[in-house]
Amino acid sequence: MSKEFFRKNQYLMMSYQKRGWQRLFIFSLLPLLLGIVGSTSWLWWSWVISPVSSTAKPQRFQIHKGTATQQIGAKLEQAGLIRSKYAWSLLARYKNWQDPKGDFQAGTYELSANQPMNVIAETIRDGKVVQTSFTIPEGWSLRQMARYFQEKGWFSAEDFIKAASKVDRKQFSWLPADIPILEGFLFPDTYQLPAEKITPQGVVEQMLERFEQTALPVYQKEKGKTNFTLKEWVTLASIVEKEAVVAEERRRIAGVFVSRLQKGIKLESDPTVEYAFGITQTPDRPLTFAQVRQPSPYNTYATPGLPPTPIAAPGLPALQAVLNPENTDYLFFVARYDGTHVFSRTIQEHEAAVAQIRRERQKR
């Protein structure tokens, strides 16, 4: 063999050895490189899912129905609530893998940049939307409700009245066929609604649903024991609600009105006059004779029987009182101005009670 052959072989051997050492070096370095990459990735992930700010205040965040996960992430990043929309997509995939049936839900949320991204994600997946509460007292009219919502800044009184003038018998088939407005059927109670449902129509629907759940079963249960239609029941209960201040007198007042209706005597209820003409009497400024004689279908001093529709929103006790009135001989009552009433059987007794209460009032 020539010297040239040995030199070539020696060169090849050296090349192989050199490459072997290079491979060995790379393989020995690989765990270190992987460790660095893994550590860097973990540091990035730990940072990206952490709160954006420790001093941030809560803010309203709305998700419309059908919004894609990527769009939610982009909006959250834009609002400064999360650090990265890409990290949001990764987290969403992990959440979907954990719970394939779950998903982000539409609604209005109260979120803060001081919350970790995982907490924000769980809030939206669980549908923990902002709940707004409001309370409608027993005996309020639609006009009072409308002013209340307008003063809260939710919507105008006019828009609420318009919504309450739409009688949706497709959704609420139990509503009487001959009512032009929902006066009396918007149940007085405390409500909690998602923020996006705080609209005139949304509020009206919730209040009708509460009447359907709470009041309607009471009527249906006693329907065979009363001659009142649903509208008549609610209408008389609304008058009892406005007249009765003391709970102990509620069934007695209902009994007086039922007796007057049966005997064909006008109800002569002051609240119906106030409702008819939009006035409010006080102890110092009672109704005048001119007012109680003024014609109106709602003025029960001038018009026999019940008004065309309820005059307020009766609560459950007033509704129950009309279905179970006290069996009484009383046909009259007059307010003492302390919440109680003097009840009388004859017009003479009634007029004497009225005169006595006026004398007591003048002494004060």
Side-chain angles (χ1 to χ4, degrees):
M1 296 184 182
S2 65
K3 292 182 180 180
E4 184 66 25
F5 175 78
F6 282 110
R7 279 199 300 270
K8 287 182 179 179
N9 282 344
Q10 189 177 16
Y11 174 76
L12 289 172
M13 289 294 294
M14 291 176 64
S15 297
Y16 286 138
Q17 288 176 352
K18 186 178 179 180
R19 290 175 188 173
W21 282 107
Q22 286 177 340
R23 291 191 185 98
L24 182 61
F25 176 75
I26 291 172
F27 284 130
S28 64
L29 195 60
L30 186 59
L32 179 61
L33 293 172
L34 291 174
I36 292 172
V37 172
S39 177
T40 304
S41 299
W42 177 252
L43 288 172
W44 174 82
W45 183 254
S46 299
W47 171 78
V48 84
I49 67 171
S50 65
V52 176
S53 170
S54 60
T55 59
K57 294 181 179 179
Q59 59 175 287
R60 293 287 175 92
F61 185 84
Q62 188 172 21
I63 300 175
H64 297 289
K65 192 173 182 180
T67 304
T69 298
Q70 292 82 358
Q71 290 177 295
I72 296 172
K75 286 182 64 179
L76 287 167
E77 183 183 35
Q78 187 178 9
L81 290 165
I82 64 172
R83 298 182 187 275
S84 169
K85 60 185 178 182
Y86 302 110
W88 175 265
S89 295
L90 290 172
L91 181 63
R93 289 178 185 176
Y94 176 70
K95 294 288 184 186
N96 287 336
W97 175 77
Q98 280 188 316
D99 180 14
K101 294 182 179 179
D103 201 359
F104 297 116
Q105 300 183 42
T108 300
Y109 297 87
E110 192 166 89
L111 306 174
S112 174
N114 65 15
Q115 296 173 308
M117 186 168 64
N118 185 60
V119 172
I120 292 174
E122 286 300 315
T123 298
I124 300 174
R125 282 178 69 90
D126 291 343
K128 295 178 181 177
V129 296
V130 174
Q131 295 285 332
T132 304
S133 66
F134 66 91
T135 300
I136 300 299
E138 297 171 345
W140 268 18
S141 67
L142 285 178
R143 288 191 291 254
Q144 288 174 296
M145 295 179 197
R147 286 196 298 270
Y148 168 73
F149 290 124
Q150 181 166 288
E151 288 168 2
K152 288 180 78 70
W154 290 356
F155 38 76
S156 70
E158 181 183 1
D159 286 344
F160 178 76
I161 295 296
K162 284 181 181 178
S165 300
K166 298 175 183 177
V167 185
D168 185 0
R169 293 188 184 85
K170 289 184 179 179
Q171 185 174 355
F172 304 99
S173 58
W174 50 267
L175 284 168
D178 53 346
I179 57 170
I181 196 167
L182 296 171
E183 184 83 80
F185 294 93
L186 302 183
F187 196 73
D189 207 345
T190 295
Y191 293 83
Q192 283 196 328
L193 297 180
E196 59 270 15
K197 284 199 173 183
I198 299 297
T199 64
Q201 190 60 38
V203 168
V204 164
E205 287 178 1
Q206 289 294 316
M207 296 181 75
L208 283 174
E209 287 177 7
R210 189 66 55 86
F211 186 98
E212 184 176 11
Q213 295 163 0
T214 306
L216 191 60
V218 174
Y219 176 74
Q220 291 171 335
K221 183 179 179 181
E222 303 292 334
K223 190 175 180 180
K225 301 177 183 178
T226 180
N227 293 323
F228 291 124
T229 64
L230 177 62
K231 187 182 79 168
E232 291 170 341
W233 173 54
V234 177
T235 300
L236 183 53
S238 72
I239 299 174
V240 172
E241 185 68 70
K242 297 296 289 185
E243 292 278 14
V245 178
V246 178
E248 290 75 15
E249 293 184 351
R250 196 176 284 116
R251 289 185 59 242
R252 179 167 294 181
I253 289 173
V256 170
F257 285 135
V258 169
S259 295
R260 291 176 75 94
L261 286 171
Q262 290 173 345
K263 295 177 184 297
I265 304 172
K266 293 176 184 176
L267 295 183
E268 297 183 347
S269 170
D270 288 2
T272 63
V273 181
E274 295 179 80
Y275 182 85
F277 307 116
I279 56 179
T280 302
Q281 66 172 328
T282 65
D284 297 321
R285 298 186 64 181
L287 296 176
T288 65
F289 285 111
Q291 288 170 331
V292 299
R293 290 172 181 169
Q294 190 173 347
S296 168
Y298 286 91
N299 181 359
T300 56
Y301 279 91
T303 306
L306 290 166
T309 62
I311 63 170
L316 195 58
L319 290 163
Q320 290 171 326
V322 171
L323 291 176
N324 187 29
E326 183 177 305
N327 187 10
T328 179
D329 294 331
Y330 293 126
L331 291 174
F332 306 90
F333 60 86
V334 58
R336 287 195 180 99
Y337 295 114
D338 64 354
T340 63
H341 296 80
V342 176
F343 294 84
S344 304
R345 293 177 176 82
T346 66
I347 186 64
Q348 292 80 11
E349 290 177 0
H350 177 62
E351 290 175 347
V354 171
Q356 178 62 30
I357 289 172
R358 285 177 180 170
R359 286 194 294 270
E360 291 175 358
R361 179 69 186 169
Q362 289 171 356
K363 291 178 183 179
R364 297 178 181 179

